[in-house]
Amino acid sequence: MDVKAQEITLLPRHWDWLSGQKGGASAVLRRLVDDAIRTSAGLCSDHERQTTTYALMSSMGGDLPDFEDASRKLFANDWMGLATLIAAWPKDVRDYALALAREQT
């Protein structure tokens, strides 16, 4: 594994805490970053989630009632408003769109 040295700027209290940890500052920072990567694995950003959901909604529901207003609710992260507007859509499309829209971020 290659190691790349770069500058990092922390507050004195951060350096104080790091200096008291087992393995030194670099090892602790690597562990913290690895933990954060594992924790966020499989999660997507709001933008990714919204884009994926919008792609489904536009391809499967672009002609359905309230599509434009539902899209606005999606991008506003208004799940109740979205669910209300697409309640009359076909069950499979509605349920899948809501599942995609509510994925953890």
Side-chain angles (χ1 to χ4, degrees), residues 14-83:
H14 299 141
W15 288 115
D16 291 343
W17 181 83
L18 283 169
S19 68
Q21 302 303 305
K22 182 179 178 182
S26 292
V28 172
L29 290 171
R30 284 192 298 272
R31 282 194 305 270
L32 289 171
V33 170
D34 285 340
D35 287 346
I37 290 169
R38 276 190 298 279
T39 300
S40 66
L43 301 179
C44 61
S45 70
D46 276 352
H47 176 73
E48 292 170 321
R49 179 184 39 74
Q50 290 164 335
T51 301
T52 301
T53 306
Y54 180 79
L56 168 82
M57 288 173 56
S58 62
S59 66
M60 301 297 288
D63 294 351
L64 294 173
D66 298 314
F67 167 75
E68 290 181 10
D69 289 334
S71 298
R72 287 186 196 89
K73 297 295 183 182
L74 168 67
F75 286 100
N77 290 328
D78 180 353
W79 313 131
M80 293 300 292
L82 174 63

